Amino acid sequence: DTAVSQTPKYLVTQMGNDKSIKCEQNLGHDTMYWYKQDSKKFLKIMFSYNNKELIINETVPNRFSPKSPDKAHLNLHINSLELGDSAVYFCASSQADRTGELFFGEGSRLTVL
Amino acid sequence: AQSVTQPDIHITVSEGASLELRCNYSYGATPYLFWYVQSPGQGLQLLLKYFSGDTLVQGIKGFEAEFKRSQSSFNLRKPSVHWSDAAEYFCAVGGNTGKLIFGQGTTLQVKP
């Protein structure tokens, strides 16, 4: 069983479309994250949820909206996609008392044409 | 400002040779330090971490790292590199919020 799973793994879409990426973890962790890795490999945190509550919200455009229906799931919805949104999006999770010890999914590569 | 610098973008070593990847950080509070490895097409995997205590920490796959507060460094080492170690290596710093600041990564290539 994959500990942190993301779907889809690849996503190719046109500018202006709306898309979602789903993430699920079966580790029993309380905290989940979204990180963005750009074409230069820079990884930057976007959001963090602890027990369905938003605790980290970096400077991310309002077009990005995370949703956590329960502590095992954290989805990312992106409206009005732009070329600059092309990146690899990683979901991760951690236990609340082991912050920084992140378990990452395999990533979702988003390409906006 | 909080930041992580990995001075070496790309390193090539021969299989069996020793390895050291450099990491320097800037962080206002007591840092939690991490090394992650990313194989092609995969997510990141934690190699090792430093929270406190012994400044030489051991990790998985035979890796170790040494925290040097005076130099703001957390360099990763391995005495003998295997071909399977070829990957992208990321150093990261964080506090107790779970927010990590990553370096740009070092690509390790291993020659047979």
Side-chain angles (χ1 to χ4, degrees):
Chain A
D1 272 350
T2 304
V4 181
S5 59
Q6 302 178 222
T7 55
K9 193 165 183 177
Y10 298 97
L11 194 52
V12 180
T13 188
Q14 300 287 330
M15 271 197 311
N17 284 350
D18 303 337
K19 290 294 177 186
S20 292
I21 306 171
K22 296 186 176 182
C23 178
E24 175 182 4
Q25 56 96 2
N26 62 7
L27 298 168
H29 289 165
D30 291 322
T31 308
M32 296 185 72
Y33 310 81
W34 279 111
Y35 276 81
K36 178 181 179 181
Q37 186 175 44
D38 66 20
S39 58
K40 296 186 178 180
K41 301 178 300 179
F42 268 117
L43 268 159
K44 189 171 180 185
I45 192 168
M46 301 173 70
F47 303 103
S48 169
Y49 271 76
N50 181 268
N51 264 324
K52 303 192 297 177
E53 181 183 347
L54 181 66
I55 55 173
I56 294 176
N57 185 353
E58 290 295 290
T59 308
V60 177
N62 291 339
R63 299 181 295 103
F64 290 79
S65 52
K67 283 189 173 52
S68 181
D70 56 61
K71 74 173 191 177
H73 295 84
L74 180 61
N75 303 324
L76 183 66
H77 188 76
I78 315 170
N79 289 326
S80 303
L81 279 157
E82 300 177 357
L83 293 176
D85 297 332
S86 295
V88 182
Y89 293 85
F90 285 99
C91 177
S93 71
S94 70
Q95 290 180 316
D97 62 344
R98 307 288 279 180
T99 54
E101 294 187 44
L102 304 184
F103 289 77
F104 282 84
E106 294 187 344
S108 297
R109 181 176 292 277
L110 171 65
T111 302
V112 182
L113 304 176
Chain B
Q2 300 170 348
S3 65
V4 175
T5 301
Q6 294 179 242
D8 306 305
I9 301 297
H10 193 112
I11 282 185
T12 301
V13 299
S14 298
E15 191 168 16
S18 63
L19 171 70
E20 181 170 30
L21 302 183
R22 296 182 291 164
C23 173
N24 293 97
Y25 69 89
S26 173
Y27 197 75
T30 300
Y32 296 169
L33 293 157
F34 307 86
W35 276 98
Y36 282 84
V37 61
Q38 183 180 25
S39 298
Q42 301 294 314
L44 282 77
Q45 180 184 21
L46 180 66
L47 278 176
L48 47 77
K49 62 186 183 291
Y50 172 79
F51 284 178
S52 64
D54 193 345
T55 57
L56 183 64
V57 293
Q58 303 297 320
I60 61 171
K61 305 185 182 186
F63 286 92
E64 66 177 27
E66 187 171 12
F67 170 55
K68 292 185 178 180
R69 185 185 299 275
S70 61
Q71 298 177 19
S72 297
S73 70
F74 189 57
N75 294 349
L76 182 71
R77 299 193 293 251
K78 186 170 184 177
S80 178
V81 169
H82 187 262
W83 64 266
S84 60
D85 293 325
E88 194 75 31
Y89 291 81
F90 292 92
C91 181
V93 66
N96 59 1
T97 65
K99 173 183 173 181
L100 293 186
I101 298 164
F102 284 87
Q104 193 176 359
T106 298
T107 303
L108 174 65
Q109 186 176 1
V110 180
K111 291 190 301 185

